[in-house]
Amino acid sequence: MFLRKTYCTFKLSVLKGIVFVFGLNYTFKLNESVCCPSLCLADVSATVRGLQSIFQEQEMTENVHDSEGHGYLATFVGKNGRFAILRMHSHGLVTFDLQCLEGDDVAQVDNLLNALEKKLKALLDGNIQRIKRLPALMRGSDVDRYWPTADGRLMEYDIDEAVYEKDSAYQNIKILHSRQFGNMLILNGDVNLAESDLPYTQAIMGSGKEHYAGKEVLILGGGDGGILHEAVKLKPKMITMLVIDGCRKHMRKTCGNVLDNLKGDCYEILVQDCVPVLKKFAEQGRTFDYVINDLTAVPISTAPEEDSTWEFLRLILDLSIRVLRPGGKYFTQGNCVNLTDALSEYEKLLCRLSCKVDFSKEMVCVPSYMELYPF
Amino acid sequence: MFLRKTYCTFKLSVLKGIVFVFGLNYTFKLNESVCCPSLCLADVSATVRGLQSIFQEQEMTENVHDSEGHGYLATFVGKNGRFAILRMHSHGLVTFDLQCLEGDDVAQVDNLLNALEKKLKALLDGNIQRIKRLPALMRGSDVDRYWPTADGRLMEYDIDEAVYEKDSAYQNIKILHSRQFGNMLILNGDVNLAESDLPYTQAIMGSGKEHYAGKEVLILGGGDGGILHEAVKLKPKMITMLVIDGCRKHMRKTCGNVLDNLKGDCYEILVQDCVPVLKKFAEQGRTFDYVINDLTAVPISTAPEEDSTWEFLRLILDLSIRVLRPGGKYFTQGNCVNLTDALSEYEKLLCRLSCKVDFSKEMVCVPSYMELYPF
């Protein structure tokens, strides 16, 4: 979602009082008995009158808008750039949104919300079915904390530092620091791997049930170095890794020192696009006991705009099967367990391969993903 | 956060077009070069003029508000109850919020946002540092999807059904169904355990490193039945469980059938407040090899309003240690790893116990918590 992002050198202190917008969202839902349209108009008008004193105390100027028949709608401009929106829908939903700038008095803002809640409780005594106050959305902050899940749900991470950002020839690379997950690698806006995510690496290597000793292994992608770092411990004969961007500095808990050199005792890293190399291996008849594809997740949808990703996935799968020894194994990640259409499309694709394959899947909880993933 | 909530019998079809509010949030952040105050006014005025055609096409009526020196602030009322807020802050942040009611034409709404993004990109060509479009916040829905983490971050769960809700004599009990985590038990608004959360149960039982065979075990709380269900498999001599509310129907993946009867081959469930029972056990000199406290998490803060929870925690800890055999073990959960003050307060408390204890902790990823927890 980032466009032409230059490396950001702002510090939070520079932003103080300027571009930080909180949105505090409040929702009141009323009982069915109050939601009956015949009761509504009287209720709304009494409630609005009852709330006016709070906004007057806060020196907020009211503007009532013509909602064209969609309930009561008013906005309030206050001091320090505060702006509020109060809506009362004709079937019993009241929403209140308050925008404040960074540097505003948080205690005062809390007081306003608490006073509003208290007054509404008194005015609608016994008729409130639910009150929900959501955490503030912070916008325009130097450190972006919102990274939705693959199935489009809003997630706020505990990110406290933007560690690194660069547009490589292939993708936008970000490293953000999460208080609990450590450094997180974000590629083109997708959370890829955090230092907490050993379970991801273990899962994509077969969850500890494989015997890598003496075997030949091909890793596609895996630029965070996690798979290579774990694999070398298992004494394979040789690991070949094909990667475009590597991250050797900021994810040391994941990669250890395996990315410091392109060659080690039992591994070689080729910094090349994997497609031509895979084609060359296939032509040469070079084969592997294990192929681990850590390039890209299953596309999030089966919509036409994902066609090229599916095409790439099919190509890689086909080439991987061609360089796999009989009895060899191919490991890859799926995508969020909720993307059922995309996952079943992927399974159909596995059934249509030129060479017959067996496959199995396992659901794994990857800490920083905040959703279950099949591997 | 729920007050006097009656059991909700709304179906989503009844709500259609009525009380469902989307909030689509858009944030544009500009480069430093554009953020310079001297450039701003001209920029803002040109940008506003450039955007007007989009709002006119959408038949939205503009209201410009006096922000009292805090940038450009306009609201737009459209058809179908649509309402938008556009703010341009003087240092380069542009936010756009759009509220729509359920039943609105989603494609049309998307088109509006896309047109706005395209126009802003054209108007601010090359000067946009970041564009961020957040998923819509759904408010007033029958199925509440927002359950913040212990450290107050916004999390949207994939909840698709409200399975059960009741106020017991002690607490508000909700069972909500998550597509990926299964049924989730929510007590007083806190996510307690989901059917996916065997790692929680395993962690609070010592992560598979304990030998329960032939031992006497005391479980405090654990009304979801997870600990009891796992413990009976390990052939202990006797398990005593003290619980106030049990959930035997909706979390079968967690409890199996162990809650169907209050007595089993090697367990007894006492549906009683644990404090008097623990006091009685202590007076009688009754002791256990393992005490597993699954009653309450460490309070989220060390603020005075949490004093009573800390007091309760101290009391339970003290009584538990009194009924623990020499060499026995006490297991409990901590709280979100980010609540460092509360967790270190808890560790201080452990060091001040009348009887000297050793303790260790382990960080665990509980799928439905979406944050790391020490045990």
Side-chain angles (χ1 to χ4, degrees):
Chain A
M1 302 278 259
F2 278 54
L3 293 173
R4 288 186 293 271
K5 173 112 167 61
T6 56
Y7 185 58
C8 180
T9 53
F10 280 164
K11 292 276 169 280
L12 264 176
S13 55
V14 177
L15 295 174
K16 185 97 185 139
I18 312 175
V19 292
F20 208 32
V21 175
F22 287 89
L24 291 144
N25 302 279
Y26 237 125
T27 306
F28 294 82
K29 192 176 175 182
L30 308 183
N31 279 346
E32 259 180 302
S33 58
V34 190
C35 304
C36 161
S38 60
L39 279 174
C40 260
L41 285 175
D43 262 8
V44 165
S45 133
T47 310
V48 168
R49 275 196 312 276
L51 294 178
Q52 268 161 352
S53 62
I54 292 175
F55 296 114
Q56 280 159 6
E57 272 164 36
Q58 298 282 337
E59 298 167 47
M60 296 185 92
T61 314
E62 184 181 13
N63 263 287
V64 180
H65 301 259
D66 176 5
S67 75
E68 300 180 13
H70 289 87
Y72 174 82
L73 167 55
T75 55
F76 303 84
V77 178
K79 53 193 173 182
N80 304 327
R82 285 181 206 157
F83 183 66
I85 306 111
L86 176 65
R87 296 189 78 164
M88 296 196 201
H89 299 276
S90 47
H91 289 75
L93 179 72
V94 179
T95 63
F96 182 73
D97 298 82
L98 181 61
Q99 298 188 348
C100 313
L101 305 192
E102 200 203 5
D104 200 346
D105 185 324
V106 177
Q108 258 186 35
V109 169
D110 267 348
N111 285 346
L112 167 57
L113 293 174
N114 294 341
L116 188 93
E117 179 172 339
K118 197 174 159 191
K119 194 82 182 186
L120 268 170
K121 277 189 208 165
L123 291 166
L124 303 165
D125 180 41
N127 287 314
I128 298 175
Q129 193 189 54
R130 189 200 293 169
I131 299 177
K132 185 87 180 187
R133 183 160 157 186
L134 291 176
L137 282 175
M138 281 172 283
R139 302 163 72 183
S141 161
D142 183 34
V143 178
D144 186 357
R145 295 162 64 93
Y146 303 96
W147 299 100
T149 57
D151 62 338
R153 285 173 292 114
L154 189 57
M155 292 285 151
E156 181 183 352
Y157 283 81
D158 56 348
I159 289 167
D160 57 5
E161 195 191 342
V163 176
Y164 175 85
E165 175 149 15
K166 196 184 168 183
D167 284 310
S168 82
Y170 307 95
Q171 54 201 344
N172 173 273
I173 304 166
K174 264 189 272 293
I175 310 268
L176 303 178
H177 182 263
S178 148
R179 282 185 67 194
Q180 60 185 318
F181 301 132
N183 279 344
M184 289 171 58
L185 174 64
I186 296 178
L187 296 179
N188 291 337
D190 282 327
V191 174
N192 223 258
L193 196 93
E195 288 182 297
S196 58
D197 296 348
L198 184 59
Y200 174 97
T201 303
Q202 288 170 331
I204 205 168
M205 290 177 67
S207 300
K209 291 171 215 147
E210 301 302 319
H211 301 285
Y212 284 90
K215 300 289 173 64
E216 288 192 74
V217 183
L218 178 64
I219 302 172
L220 308 177
D224 52 68
I227 299 170
L228 183 61
H229 186 213
E230 296 308 311
V232 294
K233 298 176 189 168
L234 305 173
K235 314 282 178 207
K237 184 175 165 195
M238 188 64 193
I239 304 168
T240 307
M241 176 164 155
L242 307 179
V243 74
I244 45 173
D245 290 312
C247 174
R248 67 165 178 250
K249 187 173 170 191
H250 299 293
M251 305 276 291
R252 296 298 281 194
K253 236 176 124 175
T254 299
C255 66
N257 62 3
V258 289
L259 299 183
D260 291 353
N261 298 296
L262 293 179
K263 275 194 178 189
D265 281 347
C266 64
Y267 67 89
E268 183 178 18
I269 302 170
L270 305 174
V271 185
Q272 291 178 47
D273 180 353
C274 68
V275 174
V277 181
L278 274 172
K279 282 183 179 166
K280 195 182 70 187
F281 285 174
E283 279 161 25
Q284 293 170 341
R286 191 166 164 194
T287 57
F288 299 86
D289 299 293
Y290 289 100
V291 177
I292 303 175
N293 173 3
D294 192 25
L295 288 170
T296 184
V298 168
I300 61 165
S301 81
T302 54
E305 59 267 30
E306 295 277 15
D307 274 358
S308 66
T309 319
W310 280 104
E311 198 46 55
F312 177 71
L313 205 129
R314 260 180 230 116
L315 174 67
I316 296 294
L317 190 56
D318 180 57
L319 288 169
S320 297
I321 299 300
R322 283 171 65 191
V323 301
L324 201 61
R325 271 177 209 158
K329 288 191 181 172
Y330 172 84
F331 287 114
T332 196
Q333 59 170 318
N335 207 322
C336 169
V337 69
N338 283 345
L339 300 169
T340 44
D341 284 355
L343 291 171
S344 75
E345 181 65 28
Y346 185 69
E347 295 191 10
K348 273 187 220 156
L349 194 148
L350 294 178
C351 297
R352 282 198 304 264
L353 284 176
S354 54
C355 144
K356 197 178 164 341
V357 297
D358 284 329
F359 67 90
S360 63
K361 59 185 171 184
E362 184 192 4
M363 295 302 158
V364 172
C365 177
V366 179
S368 82
Y369 283 18
M370 310 214 223
E371 55 193 336
L372 300 179
Y373 252 63
F375 279 86
Chain B
M1 299 277 259
F2 278 53
L3 294 173
R4 289 187 294 270
K5 172 110 167 62
T6 57
Y7 184 58
C8 181
T9 54
F10 279 163
K11 291 276 168 280
L12 266 178
S13 55
V14 177
L15 294 175
K16 185 97 184 140
I18 311 175
V19 292
F20 209 33
V21 176
F22 288 89
L24 291 144
N25 303 280
Y26 236 124
T27 306
F28 294 81
K29 192 176 174 183
L30 308 182
N31 279 345
E32 259 179 301
S33 57
V34 190
C35 303
C36 161
S38 59
L39 278 174
C40 262
L41 284 174
D43 263 7
V44 165
S45 136
T47 310
V48 167
R49 275 197 313 277
L51 294 177
Q52 268 161 352
S53 62
I54 291 175
F55 296 114
Q56 280 160 7
E57 271 164 35
Q58 299 281 338
E59 298 168 46
M60 297 185 92
T61 314
E62 184 181 15
N63 262 287
V64 180
H65 301 258
D66 176 6
S67 74
E68 300 179 14
H70 289 88
Y72 173 82
L73 167 55
T75 54
F76 302 85
V77 178
K79 53 193 173 183
N80 305 328
R82 285 181 206 157
F83 184 65
I85 306 110
L86 176 66
R87 297 189 79 164
M88 296 196 201
H89 299 276
S90 47
H91 289 74
L93 179 71
V94 179
T95 63
F96 182 73
D97 298 82
L98 180 61
Q99 298 188 348
C100 313
L101 305 193
E102 201 203 5
D104 200 347
D105 186 325
V106 177
Q108 256 186 34
V109 168
D110 266 349
N111 285 345
L112 167 57
L113 293 173
N114 294 340
L116 189 93
E117 179 172 339
K118 196 173 158 192
K119 194 81 181 184
L120 268 170
K121 277 188 209 167
L123 291 166
L124 303 165
D125 180 42
N127 287 314
I128 298 175
Q129 192 188 57
R130 189 200 293 169
I131 299 177
K132 184 86 179 186
R133 183 159 155 186
L134 291 176
L137 283 176
M138 281 172 282
R139 302 162 73 183
S141 162
D142 184 34
V143 178
D144 187 357
R145 295 162 66 92
Y146 303 97
W147 300 100
T149 57
D151 62 339
R153 285 173 292 115
L154 188 57
M155 291 285 151
E156 180 183 353
Y157 283 81
D158 55 350
I159 289 167
D160 56 7
E161 195 191 343
V163 176
Y164 175 86
E165 176 149 16
K166 195 182 168 183
D167 284 310
S168 82
Y170 307 95
Q171 55 200 341
N172 174 272
I173 304 166
K174 263 189 274 294
I175 310 268
L176 303 178
H177 182 261
S178 148
R179 282 185 67 194
Q180 60 185 316
F181 301 133
N183 279 344
M184 288 171 59
L185 175 64
I186 295 179
L187 297 178
N188 291 337
D190 282 328
V191 175
N192 223 257
L193 196 92
E195 288 182 297
S196 58
D197 295 349
L198 183 60
Y200 174 97
T201 303
Q202 288 172 330
I204 205 168
M205 290 177 66
S207 301
K209 290 172 215 144
E210 300 302 319
H211 300 285
Y212 284 91
K215 301 289 172 64
E216 288 194 74
V217 183
L218 178 64
I219 302 172
L220 308 177
D224 53 68
I227 299 170
L228 184 61
H229 186 214
E230 295 307 311
V232 295
K233 297 176 189 170
L234 304 173
K235 313 281 178 208
K237 184 176 169 193
M238 187 64 193
I239 305 168
T240 306
M241 176 164 155
L242 307 178
V243 74
I244 45 173
D245 291 312
C247 174
R248 67 164 178 252
K249 189 173 168 191
H250 298 293
M251 305 274 291
R252 296 297 282 195
K253 236 176 124 174
T254 299
C255 66
N257 62 3
V258 290
L259 299 183
D260 291 354
N261 298 296
L262 292 179
K263 274 194 179 191
D265 282 346
C266 65
Y267 68 89
E268 184 177 18
I269 302 170
L270 304 174
V271 185
Q272 289 178 48
D273 179 356
C274 69
V275 175
V277 181
L278 273 172
K279 281 183 177 163
K280 196 183 70 186
F281 285 173
E283 279 162 23
Q284 292 170 342
R286 189 164 164 195
T287 56
F288 299 86
D289 299 294
Y290 289 101
V291 177
I292 302 174
N293 173 4
D294 192 25
L295 289 169
T296 183
V298 168
I300 61 165
S301 82
T302 54
E305 59 269 29
E306 294 278 14
D307 274 359
S308 66
T309 318
W310 280 103
E311 199 46 57
F312 176 71
L313 204 129
R314 260 181 230 114
L315 175 65
I316 296 294
L317 190 57
D318 180 58
L319 288 169
S320 297
I321 299 299
R322 284 171 65 193
V323 301
L324 201 61
R325 274 179 205 156
K329 287 191 182 173
Y330 172 83
F331 286 114
T332 195
Q333 60 169 318
N335 207 320
C336 168
V337 68
N338 283 346
L339 300 169
T340 44
D341 284 356
L343 291 172
S344 77
E345 181 66 28
Y346 185 70
E347 294 190 11
K348 274 186 218 154
L349 194 149
L350 295 178
C351 297
R352 283 198 304 262
L353 284 175
S354 55
C355 145
K356 196 179 165 337
V357 296
D358 284 330
F359 68 90
S360 63
K361 60 185 171 184
E362 182 192 4
M363 295 305 156
V364 172
C365 176
V366 179
S368 82
Y369 285 18
M370 310 216 225
E371 55 192 339
L372 299 180
Y373 252 65
F375 279 85

